[in-house]
Amino acid sequence: MLEVQNAKKYFGGVKAVDNVSIQVKKSSITGLIGANGAGKTTLFNMISGFIPLTAGTVIYEGEDITNQPAYKISTKGIVRTFQTPLGFPRMTVMENMLVFAKNRNAGIFTAIKTSKKVTPLEEEYIERARKILKDVGLGNKEDAWVSDLSAGELKILEFARPLMADPHIFLLDEPAAGINPANLNSLVTLIKDLRNKGYTFLIVDHNLKFIMNICDYIYVMADGKLIFEGLPDEVANADCVIESYIGKKKTEDTVSN
Amino acid sequence: MLTGTALFLSSILTLAAIYAVIALALNLEAGVDGLWDLGVVSFVAVGAYTYTMLTVSPASAGQSYIMGFGLPMWVGVLAAGIAGSIVAFLIGKPTLKLKNEYFLITTFAFAEVIRQILTNERWLSNGVAGVYNLAQPFKTYFTPSVYPYILLLLLVIIVFIVYVVVHRLTYSTFGRSLKALRENEPLALTAGIRPDRFHIRAFVIAGFFAGTAGAFYVWYSTVITPSLFTSDITFFVWMAIVIGGLANNKGAIVGSVIFVLAGESLRFLDLGSGFAVRMASMKIAILGLILIAILKWRPQGILPEKKVKFSNSSKNS
């Protein structure tokens, strides 16, 4: 469904991402792990059009989307979240949802001519947004300022918003960061539910337990390079992964055992 | 005495109404869209000159300016709006790529450039001498003692129309997209919102209304000279929307009225001619104090940005 081929990103002499190829299959949950500075977020930014690739290609559903602008990529059904979810702070939860509705029909003259506060088309979107908010457990927050939401609620809203536009694939940048264990469980349930409905996920995270628990397939990056890929079990036992995460000494201990 | 006061009051309220039109325009681009535009006076100046040059009679001996077609006023007002939009488009195209502070500096610079052109290019605008005795709308139908109230009424109607248009835009899908860009541009990108396209639209619409405000300013002053269009207007209008409440359209109007009243009310104090000059400089000081007080105790302005609720409106369908 989504394929990155030989992606490279050099910032001057720094090879942030060096010849990385990954594949995300339809309706799968694919993980991307690695220590800080491994190049995970850079790879994300390249896929979602936020920064241009130095070299390589990004193919989505057979179409070459390399270096297309972010707003264009998102209309193709690829949505991404950010490490620190802020939402649109001085807008209500409902407004946040409506911004993501498809066919936003942002005509200026139509707007000037329309005396109704809510058009029939918007009416549909509002109903849809209410249903989504109810499903994710934010049903009673519709009129709240987003700046008043808790960190956990903000994370949930990150998922709820793009659902307005029927995305196909979610790129999640550290969804588990800064979330308490109770909320984490509901997040895992939410992601798995969405996967069962046919959505595809590519997740970057530090939390190994979370990634192991949720992913079907995992890529491991270190220093801009892909150092391992495989099923969660294989990743958990791979020496090079343990080394990159925990350090060499531990690896030697493991070997000597 | 009473009629004198009433006349004076109607005159400053007319000025407040003109500021309100510019404030509503600025509120759309700066309050809703979040563009730090310090050059809004450019549109007012270009609108005012376009209106004047199209509606006055040809330049007489000793004067020099272009056109002078003597067209009807409403044509002039429309042309002032269009000219404001065109200038907004021309300034916006290269500058909207810049981020906040840089955008602010560039728009400020453009406003100065336009004023300098109007000052120095005498063939274009009659330079510093300006043009005098300009006509006012419907003036022939009323006696001079009543006319100021008629002009005020006319401007109140205009403010209402501009308010309705800007209000509808603010709460439309278009306005919501502008707010999204203001709040979090990277996130708005992931919603498929194209920043350059939305920013330029907001800028051009603001240019249109600020351009028409230029024409209204000419109605009010009956005189046009480049010195009317210094960046003071930009700062005054910014102060008005900050006092009234950024991104609140009623606030833009309330802010303009408070701003003008507070500034001009000092003239009511009869302190003798010795104080006149001191009082004139007090005006700026008092406005500054009001601004500081607002920022300290009510940073959202007198009327803060409204929360958009859909809970009630959609139940009746």
Side-chain angles (χ1 to χ4, degrees), chain A residues 50 71 74 87-90 92 94-95 100 104 108 111-112 114-115 117 122-123 126 130 143, chain B residues 168 172-173 176-177 179-180 183-184 186-187 189-190 192-194 201 307-311 314:
Chain A
F50 276 77
Y71 68 86
S74 54
F88 304 116
R90 289 300 284 177
T92 65
M94 179 55 85
E95 283 184 284
F100 275 73
R104 281 171 299 96
I108 291 163
I112 296 174
T114 314
S115 58
K117 193 182 163 198
E122 273 188 317
E123 200 80 59
I126 291 169
R130 283 211 178 108
D143 287 334
Chain B
R168 285 184 182 177
S172 68
T173 313
R176 199 180 302 127
S177 303
K179 266 164 85 177
E183 290 294 302
N184 191 339
L187 186 60
L189 280 171
T190 71
I193 295 172
R194 192 175 160 173
R201 285 181 196 166
K307 195 182 235 183
V308 184
K309 287 186 183 175
F310 295 96
S311 354
S314 49

mmCIF file of all heavy atoms in Angstrom, chain A residues 50 71 74 87-90 92 94-95 100 104 108 111-112 114-115 117 122-123 126 130 143, chain B residues 168 172-173 176-177 179-180 183-184 186-187 189-190 192-194 201 307-311 314:
data_model
loop_
_atom_site.group_PDB
_atom_site.id
_atom_site.type_symbol
_atom_site.label_atom_id
_atom_site.label_comp_id
_atom_site.label_asym_id
_atom_site.label_seq_id
_atom_site.Cartn_x
_atom_site.Cartn_y
_atom_site.Cartn_z
ATOM 1 N N PHE A 50 6.387 16.904 4.390
ATOM 2 C CA PHE A 50 6.807 18.078 5.149
ATOM 3 C C PHE A 50 8.237 18.494 4.830
ATOM 4 O O PHE A 50 8.586 19.655 4.963
ATOM 5 C CB PHE A 50 6.635 17.849 6.656
ATOM 6 C CG PHE A 50 5.238 18.144 7.115
ATOM 7 C CD1 PHE A 50 4.214 17.242 6.889
ATOM 8 C CD2 PHE A 50 4.938 19.347 7.738
ATOM 9 C CE1 PHE A 50 2.908 17.519 7.275
ATOM 10 C CE2 PHE A 50 3.637 19.637 8.122
ATOM 11 C CZ PHE A 50 2.622 18.723 7.890
ATOM 12 N N TYR A 71 -0.163 19.320 1.836
ATOM 13 C CA TYR A 71 -1.618 19.430 1.759
ATOM 14 C C TYR A 71 -2.189 18.495 0.693
ATOM 15 O O TYR A 71 -3.300 18.008 0.801
ATOM 16 C CB TYR A 71 -2.044 20.884 1.500
ATOM 17 C CG TYR A 71 -1.679 21.416 0.148
ATOM 18 C CD1 TYR A 71 -2.510 21.211 -0.944
ATOM 19 C CD2 TYR A 71 -0.492 22.099 -0.058
ATOM 20 C CE1 TYR A 71 -2.179 21.680 -2.196
ATOM 21 C CE2 TYR A 71 -0.149 22.574 -1.301
ATOM 22 C CZ TYR A 71 -0.994 22.360 -2.370
ATOM 23 O OH TYR A 71 -0.645 22.817 -3.611
ATOM 24 N N SER A 74 -2.067 14.769 2.009
ATOM 25 C CA SER A 74 -3.108 14.446 2.982
ATOM 26 C C SER A 74 -4.465 14.226 2.311
ATOM 27 O O SER A 74 -5.288 13.471 2.809
ATOM 28 C CB SER A 74 -3.197 15.546 4.040
ATOM 29 O OG SER A 74 -3.373 16.789 3.424
ATOM 30 N N GLY A 87 -3.468 20.182 18.456
ATOM 31 C CA GLY A 87 -4.745 20.482 17.832
ATOM 32 C C GLY A 87 -4.784 21.930 17.421
ATOM 33 O O GLY A 87 -3.749 22.573 17.261
ATOM 34 N N PHE A 88 -5.984 22.451 17.240
ATOM 35 C CA PHE A 88 -6.174 23.880 17.021
ATOM 36 C C PHE A 88 -6.679 24.421 18.352
ATOM 37 O O PHE A 88 -7.869 24.349 18.632
ATOM 38 C CB PHE A 88 -7.183 24.125 15.906
ATOM 39 C CG PHE A 88 -6.819 23.452 14.599
ATOM 40 C CD1 PHE A 88 -7.629 22.451 14.067
ATOM 41 C CD2 PHE A 88 -5.672 23.810 13.914
ATOM 42 C CE1 PHE A 88 -7.301 21.840 12.873
ATOM 43 C CE2 PHE A 88 -5.336 23.192 12.720
ATOM 44 C CZ PHE A 88 -6.148 22.201 12.198
ATOM 45 N N PRO A 89 -5.779 24.970 19.192
ATOM 46 C CA PRO A 89 -6.127 25.233 20.599
ATOM 47 C C PRO A 89 -7.339 26.135 20.812
ATOM 48 O O PRO A 89 -8.219 25.800 21.583
ATOM 49 C CB PRO A 89 -4.867 25.888 21.167
ATOM 50 C CG PRO A 89 -3.784 25.581 20.205
ATOM 51 C CD PRO A 89 -4.417 25.356 18.877
ATOM 52 N N ARG A 90 -7.373 27.298 20.102
ATOM 53 C CA ARG A 90 -8.488 28.223 20.332
ATOM 54 C C ARG A 90 -9.641 27.941 19.381
ATOM 55 O O ARG A 90 -10.201 28.850 18.761
ATOM 56 C CB ARG A 90 -8.012 29.677 20.209
ATOM 57 C CG ARG A 90 -7.142 30.134 21.343
ATOM 58 C CD ARG A 90 -7.818 30.071 22.691
ATOM 59 N NE ARG A 90 -8.777 31.151 22.907
ATOM 60 C CZ ARG A 90 -9.532 31.265 24.009
ATOM 61 N NH1 ARG A 90 -9.477 30.344 24.948
ATOM 62 N NH2 ARG A 90 -10.347 32.272 24.137
ATOM 63 N N THR A 92 -13.075 24.930 19.128
ATOM 64 C CA THR A 92 -13.710 23.871 19.913
ATOM 65 C C THR A 92 -13.390 22.503 19.297
ATOM 66 O O THR A 92 -12.883 22.415 18.175
ATOM 67 C CB THR A 92 -15.232 24.042 19.951
ATOM 68 O OG1 THR A 92 -15.727 23.878 18.623
ATOM 69 C CG2 THR A 92 -15.632 25.403 20.484
ATOM 70 N N MET A 94 -15.486 20.352 18.243
ATOM 71 C CA MET A 94 -16.285 20.187 17.026
ATOM 72 C C MET A 94 -15.651 20.912 15.843
ATOM 73 O O MET A 94 -15.561 20.364 14.749
ATOM 74 C CB MET A 94 -17.716 20.684 17.282
ATOM 75 C CG MET A 94 -18.633 20.581 16.089
ATOM 76 S SD MET A 94 -18.740 18.931 15.365
ATOM 77 C CE MET A 94 -19.994 18.180 16.386
ATOM 78 N N GLU A 95 -15.182 22.134 16.063
ATOM 79 C CA GLU A 95 -14.523 22.873 14.975
ATOM 80 C C GLU A 95 -13.288 22.124 14.486
ATOM 81 O O GLU A 95 -13.020 22.057 13.288
ATOM 82 C CB GLU A 95 -14.096 24.263 15.446
ATOM 83 C CG GLU A 95 -15.205 25.284 15.532
ATOM 84 C CD GLU A 95 -14.646 26.638 15.910
ATOM 85 O OE1 GLU A 95 -14.314 26.831 17.098
ATOM 86 O OE2 GLU A 95 -14.514 27.480 15.035
ATOM 87 N N PHE A 100 -11.366 19.004 9.322
ATOM 88 C CA PHE A 100 -10.868 17.838 8.602
ATOM 89 C C PHE A 100 -11.906 17.203 7.669
ATOM 90 O O PHE A 100 -11.626 16.196 7.038
ATOM 91 C CB PHE A 100 -10.339 16.791 9.590
ATOM 92 C CG PHE A 100 -8.912 17.049 9.985
ATOM 93 C CD1 PHE A 100 -8.609 18.092 10.837
ATOM 94 C CD2 PHE A 100 -7.887 16.285 9.477
ATOM 95 C CE1 PHE A 100 -7.302 18.354 11.191
ATOM 96 C CE2 PHE A 100 -6.573 16.541 9.814
ATOM 97 C CZ PHE A 100 -6.280 17.581 10.681
ATOM 98 N N ARG A 104 -14.536 20.534 1.718
ATOM 99 C CA ARG A 104 -14.857 21.583 2.665
ATOM 100 C C ARG A 104 -15.570 22.761 2.015
ATOM 101 O O ARG A 104 -16.084 23.611 2.689
ATOM 102 C CB ARG A 104 -13.594 22.012 3.422
ATOM 103 C CG ARG A 104 -13.277 21.010 4.526
ATOM 104 C CD ARG A 104 -11.940 21.238 5.158
ATOM 105 N NE ARG A 104 -10.874 21.105 4.187
ATOM 106 C CZ ARG A 104 -10.338 22.128 3.553
ATOM 107 N NH1 ARG A 104 -10.720 23.327 3.820
ATOM 108 N NH2 ARG A 104 -9.401 21.932 2.664
ATOM 109 N N ILE A 108 -15.844 31.560 -1.159
ATOM 110 C CA ILE A 108 -16.027 32.832 -0.474
ATOM 111 C C ILE A 108 -17.404 33.409 -0.769
ATOM 112 O O ILE A 108 -18.121 33.846 0.129
ATOM 113 C CB ILE A 108 -14.926 33.814 -0.916
ATOM 114 C CG1 ILE A 108 -13.590 33.344 -0.353
ATOM 115 C CG2 ILE A 108 -15.237 35.220 -0.450
ATOM 116 C CD1 ILE A 108 -12.401 33.952 -1.027
ATOM 117 N N ALA A 111 -20.166 31.637 0.909
ATOM 118 C CA ALA A 111 -20.205 31.984 2.332
ATOM 119 C C ALA A 111 -20.917 33.314 2.544
ATOM 120 O O ALA A 111 -21.719 33.466 3.467
ATOM 121 C CB ALA A 111 -18.784 32.060 2.887
ATOM 122 N N ILE A 112 -20.648 34.290 1.651
ATOM 123 C CA ILE A 112 -21.260 35.607 1.817
ATOM 124 C C ILE A 112 -22.769 35.532 1.579
ATOM 125 O O ILE A 112 -23.551 36.193 2.249
ATOM 126 C CB ILE A 112 -20.598 36.628 0.863
ATOM 127 C CG1 ILE A 112 -19.124 36.798 1.239
ATOM 128 C CG2 ILE A 112 -21.312 37.982 0.920
ATOM 129 C CD1 ILE A 112 -18.318 37.657 0.307
ATOM 130 N N THR A 114 -24.697 32.878 2.062
ATOM 131 C CA THR A 114 -25.412 31.982 2.975
ATOM 132 C C THR A 114 -25.749 32.691 4.278
ATOM 133 O O THR A 114 -24.866 33.122 5.002
ATOM 134 C CB THR A 114 -24.546 30.744 3.292
ATOM 135 O OG1 THR A 114 -24.020 30.267 2.067
ATOM 136 C CG2 THR A 114 -25.364 29.660 3.949
ATOM 137 N N SER A 115 -27.047 32.752 4.575
ATOM 138 C CA SER A 115 -27.430 33.408 5.829
ATOM 139 C C SER A 115 -27.521 32.392 6.965
ATOM 140 O O SER A 115 -27.455 32.741 8.131
ATOM 141 C CB SER A 115 -28.768 34.111 5.663
ATOM 142 O OG SER A 115 -29.737 33.181 5.278
ATOM 143 N N LYS A 117 -26.516 29.657 9.662
ATOM 144 C CA LYS A 117 -25.290 29.419 10.414
ATOM 145 C C LYS A 117 -24.692 28.066 10.023
ATOM 146 O O LYS A 117 -23.486 27.909 9.926
ATOM 147 C CB LYS A 117 -25.591 29.455 11.909
ATOM 148 C CG LYS A 117 -24.342 29.520 12.761
ATOM 149 C CD LYS A 117 -24.668 29.505 14.222
ATOM 150 C CE LYS A 117 -23.410 29.139 15.001
ATOM 151 N NZ LYS A 117 -23.710 28.703 16.352
ATOM 152 N N GLU A 122 -22.888 20.947 6.067
ATOM 153 C CA GLU A 122 -22.220 20.974 7.370
ATOM 154 C C GLU A 122 -22.975 20.139 8.386
ATOM 155 O O GLU A 122 -22.398 19.505 9.243
ATOM 156 C CB GLU A 122 -22.102 22.421 7.857
ATOM 157 C CG GLU A 122 -20.860 23.095 7.354
ATOM 158 C CD GLU A 122 -20.628 24.450 7.988
ATOM 159 O OE1 GLU A 122 -21.608 25.209 8.112
ATOM 160 O OE2 GLU A 122 -19.494 24.728 8.364
ATOM 161 N N GLU A 123 -24.307 20.192 8.259
ATOM 162 C CA GLU A 123 -25.177 19.397 9.129
ATOM 163 C C GLU A 123 -24.743 17.920 9.098
ATOM 164 O O GLU A 123 -24.600 17.284 10.130
ATOM 165 C CB GLU A 123 -26.600 19.526 8.617
ATOM 166 C CG GLU A 123 -27.670 19.190 9.622
ATOM 167 C CD GLU A 123 -27.898 20.361 10.570
ATOM 168 O OE1 GLU A 123 -28.244 21.451 10.099
ATOM 169 O OE2 GLU A 123 -27.683 20.139 11.763
ATOM 170 N N ILE A 126 -21.465 17.530 10.863
ATOM 171 C CA ILE A 126 -21.604 17.634 12.312
ATOM 172 C C ILE A 126 -22.103 16.306 12.885
ATOM 173 O O ILE A 126 -21.586 15.800 13.878
ATOM 174 C CB ILE A 126 -22.549 18.800 12.686
ATOM 175 C CG1 ILE A 126 -21.870 20.134 12.358
ATOM 176 C CG2 ILE A 126 -22.921 18.754 14.151
ATOM 177 C CD1 ILE A 126 -22.782 21.329 12.429
ATOM 178 N N ARG A 130 -20.120 13.970 15.472
ATOM 179 C CA ARG A 130 -20.687 13.546 16.760
ATOM 180 C C ARG A 130 -20.548 12.049 16.944
ATOM 181 O O ARG A 130 -20.212 11.568 18.016
ATOM 182 C CB ARG A 130 -22.182 13.889 16.796
ATOM 183 C CG ARG A 130 -22.397 15.345 17.039
ATOM 184 C CD ARG A 130 -23.667 15.633 17.787
ATOM 185 N NE ARG A 130 -23.693 17.079 17.978
ATOM 186 C CZ ARG A 130 -24.514 17.903 17.334
ATOM 187 N NH1 ARG A 130 -25.439 17.416 16.529
ATOM 188 N NH2 ARG A 130 -24.422 19.191 17.519
ATOM 189 N N ASP A 143 -18.218 20.931 22.731
ATOM 190 C CA ASP A 143 -18.126 22.390 22.796
ATOM 191 C C ASP A 143 -16.932 22.904 23.604
ATOM 192 O O ASP A 143 -16.837 24.093 23.868
ATOM 193 C CB ASP A 143 -19.414 22.972 23.397
ATOM 194 C CG ASP A 143 -20.561 22.883 22.414
ATOM 195 O OD1 ASP A 143 -20.292 22.854 21.204
ATOM 196 O OD2 ASP A 143 -21.718 22.828 22.863
ATOM 197 N N ARG B 168 -20.212 36.532 8.177
ATOM 198 C CA ARG B 168 -20.513 35.284 7.457
ATOM 199 C C ARG B 168 -19.232 34.574 7.035
ATOM 200 O O ARG B 168 -19.140 33.350 7.120
ATOM 201 C CB ARG B 168 -21.385 35.583 6.238
ATOM 202 C CG ARG B 168 -22.807 35.868 6.640
ATOM 203 C CD ARG B 168 -23.695 36.063 5.438
ATOM 204 N NE ARG B 168 -25.045 36.380 5.868
ATOM 205 C CZ ARG B 168 -26.034 36.664 5.041
ATOM 206 N NH1 ARG B 168 -25.824 36.645 3.734
ATOM 207 N NH2 ARG B 168 -27.237 36.940 5.499
ATOM 208 N N SER B 172 -17.840 30.775 8.269
ATOM 209 C CA SER B 172 -18.019 29.811 7.188
ATOM 210 C C SER B 172 -16.892 28.788 7.230
ATOM 211 O O SER B 172 -15.973 28.889 8.040
ATOM 212 C CB SER B 172 -17.974 30.545 5.849
ATOM 213 O OG SER B 172 -16.665 31.022 5.630
ATOM 214 N N THR B 173 -16.980 27.839 6.310
ATOM 215 C CA THR B 173 -15.897 26.868 6.183
ATOM 216 C C THR B 173 -14.589 27.573 5.860
ATOM 217 O O THR B 173 -13.534 27.198 6.368
ATOM 218 C CB THR B 173 -16.232 25.880 5.056
ATOM 219 O OG1 THR B 173 -17.575 25.449 5.235
ATOM 220 C CG2 THR B 173 -15.317 24.693 5.076
ATOM 221 N N ARG B 176 -13.234 29.037 8.986
ATOM 222 C CA ARG B 176 -12.730 27.983 9.870
ATOM 223 C C ARG B 176 -11.355 27.523 9.403
ATOM 224 O O ARG B 176 -10.460 27.249 10.220
ATOM 225 C CB ARG B 176 -13.708 26.816 9.877
ATOM 226 C CG ARG B 176 -13.521 25.900 11.059
ATOM 227 C CD ARG B 176 -14.516 24.759 11.034
ATOM 228 N NE ARG B 176 -15.877 25.227 11.027
ATOM 229 C CZ ARG B 176 -16.792 24.860 10.124
ATOM 230 N NH1 ARG B 176 -16.484 24.015 9.168
ATOM 231 N NH2 ARG B 176 -18.017 25.338 10.180
ATOM 232 N N SER B 177 -11.171 27.450 8.085
ATOM 233 C CA SER B 177 -9.860 27.053 7.553
ATOM 234 C C SER B 177 -8.808 28.109 7.897
ATOM 235 O O SER B 177 -7.663 27.776 8.199
ATOM 236 C CB SER B 177 -9.935 26.868 6.041
ATOM 237 O OG SER B 177 -10.925 25.917 5.725
ATOM 238 N N LYS B 179 -8.855 30.061 10.521
ATOM 239 C CA LYS B 179 -8.559 29.903 11.943
ATOM 240 C C LYS B 179 -7.627 28.718 12.167
ATOM 241 O O LYS B 179 -6.710 28.782 12.990
ATOM 242 C CB LYS B 179 -9.859 29.672 12.725
ATOM 243 C CG LYS B 179 -10.442 30.938 13.292
ATOM 244 C CD LYS B 179 -11.887 30.745 13.699
ATOM 245 C CE LYS B 179 -12.049 30.184 15.088
ATOM 246 N NZ LYS B 179 -13.480 30.092 15.471
ATOM 247 N N ALA B 180 -7.868 27.638 11.428
ATOM 248 C CA ALA B 180 -7.018 26.448 11.554
ATOM 249 C C ALA B 180 -5.576 26.806 11.197
ATOM 250 O O ALA B 180 -4.637 26.397 11.891
ATOM 251 C CB ALA B 180 -7.533 25.329 10.653
ATOM 252 N N GLU B 183 -4.081 28.784 14.025
ATOM 253 C CA GLU B 183 -3.828 28.018 15.242
ATOM 254 C C GLU B 183 -2.672 27.035 15.098
ATOM 255 O O GLU B 183 -1.918 26.832 16.039
ATOM 256 C CB GLU B 183 -5.095 27.246 15.640
ATOM 257 C CG GLU B 183 -6.218 28.129 16.142
ATOM 258 C CD GLU B 183 -5.852 28.808 17.452
ATOM 259 O OE1 GLU B 183 -5.544 28.090 18.403
ATOM 260 O OE2 GLU B 183 -5.855 30.051 17.497
ATOM 261 N N ASN B 184 -2.563 26.373 13.969
ATOM 262 C CA ASN B 184 -1.564 25.311 13.830
ATOM 263 C C ASN B 184 -1.394 24.991 12.344
ATOM 264 O O ASN B 184 -2.111 24.152 11.804
ATOM 265 C CB ASN B 184 -2.057 24.085 14.603
ATOM 266 C CG ASN B 184 -0.994 23.017 14.747
ATOM 267 O OD1 ASN B 184 -0.025 22.981 13.981
ATOM 268 N ND2 ASN B 184 -1.167 22.142 15.707
ATOM 269 N N PRO B 186 1.041 23.437 10.523
ATOM 270 C CA PRO B 186 1.372 22.075 10.095
ATOM 271 C C PRO B 186 0.165 21.125 10.159
ATOM 272 O O PRO B 186 -0.042 20.311 9.265
ATOM 273 C CB PRO B 186 2.448 21.635 11.093
ATOM 274 C CG PRO B 186 3.037 22.884 11.612
ATOM 275 C CD PRO B 186 1.942 23.910 11.592
ATOM 276 N N LEU B 187 -0.625 21.271 11.202
ATOM 277 C CA LEU B 187 -1.799 20.407 11.332
ATOM 278 C C LEU B 187 -2.828 20.730 10.246
ATOM 279 O O LEU B 187 -3.459 19.822 9.691
ATOM 280 C CB LEU B 187 -2.418 20.560 12.731
ATOM 281 C CG LEU B 187 -3.564 19.607 13.063
ATOM 282 C CD1 LEU B 187 -3.107 18.157 12.989
ATOM 283 C CD2 LEU B 187 -4.116 19.897 14.449
ATOM 284 N N LEU B 189 -2.181 21.700 7.340
ATOM 285 C CA LEU B 189 -1.675 21.075 6.109
ATOM 286 C C LEU B 189 -2.168 19.637 6.010
ATOM 287 O O LEU B 189 -2.545 19.178 4.941
ATOM 288 C CB LEU B 189 -0.146 21.060 6.103
ATOM 289 C CG LEU B 189 0.580 22.329 5.716
ATOM 290 C CD1 LEU B 189 2.066 22.176 5.976
ATOM 291 C CD2 LEU B 189 0.355 22.623 4.246
ATOM 292 N N THR B 190 -2.190 18.934 7.147
ATOM 293 C CA THR B 190 -2.611 17.537 7.103
ATOM 294 C C THR B 190 -4.120 17.436 6.900
ATOM 295 O O THR B 190 -4.639 16.356 6.677
ATOM 296 C CB THR B 190 -2.210 16.762 8.379
ATOM 297 O OG1 THR B 190 -3.027 17.226 9.469
ATOM 298 C CG2 THR B 190 -0.762 16.928 8.722
ATOM 299 N N GLY B 192 -5.375 19.086 4.491
ATOM 300 C CA GLY B 192 -5.479 19.410 3.072
ATOM 301 C C GLY B 192 -5.687 20.889 2.797
ATOM 302 O O GLY B 192 -6.111 21.257 1.719
ATOM 303 N N ILE B 193 -5.423 21.740 3.771
ATOM 304 C CA ILE B 193 -5.595 23.180 3.567
ATOM 305 C C ILE B 193 -4.309 23.759 2.988
ATOM 306 O O ILE B 193 -3.230 23.545 3.539
ATOM 307 C CB ILE B 193 -5.951 23.885 4.891
ATOM 308 C CG1 ILE B 193 -7.312 23.391 5.383
ATOM 309 C CG2 ILE B 193 -5.986 25.403 4.705
ATOM 310 C CD1 ILE B 193 -7.683 23.863 6.761
ATOM 311 N N ARG B 194 -4.461 24.466 1.878
ATOM 312 C CA ARG B 194 -3.278 25.006 1.207
ATOM 313 C C ARG B 194 -3.048 26.423 1.699
ATOM 314 O O ARG B 194 -3.801 27.330 1.352
ATOM 315 C CB ARG B 194 -3.542 24.999 -0.295
ATOM 316 C CG ARG B 194 -2.328 25.245 -1.090
ATOM 317 C CD ARG B 194 -2.619 25.114 -2.556
ATOM 318 N NE ARG B 194 -1.560 25.803 -3.258
ATOM 319 C CZ ARG B 194 -1.416 25.790 -4.559
ATOM 320 N NH1 ARG B 194 -2.269 25.149 -5.303
ATOM 321 N NH2 ARG B 194 -0.420 26.429 -5.118
ATOM 322 N N ARG B 201 -6.390 34.868 -0.202
ATOM 323 C CA ARG B 201 -7.814 35.217 -0.282
ATOM 324 C C ARG B 201 -8.195 36.152 0.863
ATOM 325 O O ARG B 201 -8.869 37.163 0.644
ATOM 326 C CB ARG B 201 -8.675 33.962 -0.204
ATOM 327 C CG ARG B 201 -8.666 33.172 -1.490
ATOM 328 C CD ARG B 201 -9.559 31.962 -1.351
ATOM 329 N NE ARG B 201 -9.289 30.998 -2.393
ATOM 330 C CZ ARG B 201 -9.713 29.756 -2.371
ATOM 331 N NH1 ARG B 201 -10.415 29.318 -1.339
ATOM 332 N NH2 ARG B 201 -9.441 28.939 -3.351
ATOM 333 N N LYS B 307 -16.875 31.489 21.163
ATOM 334 C CA LYS B 307 -16.809 30.043 20.996
ATOM 335 C C LYS B 307 -17.906 29.631 20.017
ATOM 336 O O LYS B 307 -19.043 30.061 20.155
ATOM 337 C CB LYS B 307 -17.070 29.408 22.359
ATOM 338 C CG LYS B 307 -16.689 27.955 22.457
ATOM 339 C CD LYS B 307 -17.034 27.444 23.841
ATOM 340 C CE LYS B 307 -15.825 26.831 24.502
ATOM 341 N NZ LYS B 307 -16.131 26.266 25.808
ATOM 342 N N VAL B 308 -17.541 28.839 19.025
ATOM 343 C CA VAL B 308 -18.543 28.430 18.047
ATOM 344 C C VAL B 308 -19.203 27.147 18.535
ATOM 345 O O VAL B 308 -18.541 26.122 18.681
ATOM 346 C CB VAL B 308 -17.886 28.175 16.670
ATOM 347 C CG1 VAL B 308 -18.942 27.855 15.645
ATOM 348 C CG2 VAL B 308 -17.088 29.392 16.256
ATOM 349 N N LYS B 309 -20.487 27.228 18.824
ATOM 350 C CA LYS B 309 -21.195 26.030 19.305
ATOM 351 C C LYS B 309 -22.204 25.573 18.273
ATOM 352 O O LYS B 309 -22.909 26.380 17.692
ATOM 353 C CB LYS B 309 -21.912 26.350 20.621
ATOM 354 C CG LYS B 309 -20.973 26.495 21.787
ATOM 355 C CD LYS B 309 -21.758 26.666 23.062
ATOM 356 C CE LYS B 309 -20.785 26.893 24.222
ATOM 357 N NZ LYS B 309 -21.496 27.188 25.453
ATOM 358 N N PHE B 310 -22.263 24.271 18.088
ATOM 359 C CA PHE B 310 -23.222 23.734 17.133
ATOM 360 C C PHE B 310 -24.329 22.969 17.842
ATOM 361 O O PHE B 310 -25.245 22.483 17.222
ATOM 362 C CB PHE B 310 -22.523 22.807 16.146
ATOM 363 C CG PHE B 310 -21.526 23.517 15.285
ATOM 364 C CD1 PHE B 310 -20.179 23.534 15.606
ATOM 365 C CD2 PHE B 310 -21.943 24.193 14.155
ATOM 366 C CE1 PHE B 310 -19.272 24.200 14.808
ATOM 367 C CE2 PHE B 310 -21.039 24.858 13.355
ATOM 368 C CZ PHE B 310 -19.696 24.858 13.682
ATOM 369 N N SER B 311 -24.222 22.834 19.154
ATOM 370 C CA SER B 311 -25.136 21.947 19.891
ATOM 371 C C SER B 311 -26.592 22.337 19.705
ATOM 372 O O SER B 311 -27.443 21.489 19.548
ATOM 373 C CB SER B 311 -24.813 21.939 21.381
ATOM 374 O OG SER B 311 -23.659 22.665 21.634
ATOM 375 N N SER B 314 -28.108 22.702 15.428
ATOM 376 C CA SER B 314 -28.382 21.598 14.515
ATOM 377 C C SER B 314 -29.513 20.703 15.003
ATOM 378 O O SER B 314 -29.883 19.766 14.329
ATOM 379 C CB SER B 314 -27.118 20.774 14.302
ATOM 380 O OG SER B 314 -26.543 20.479 15.532
#
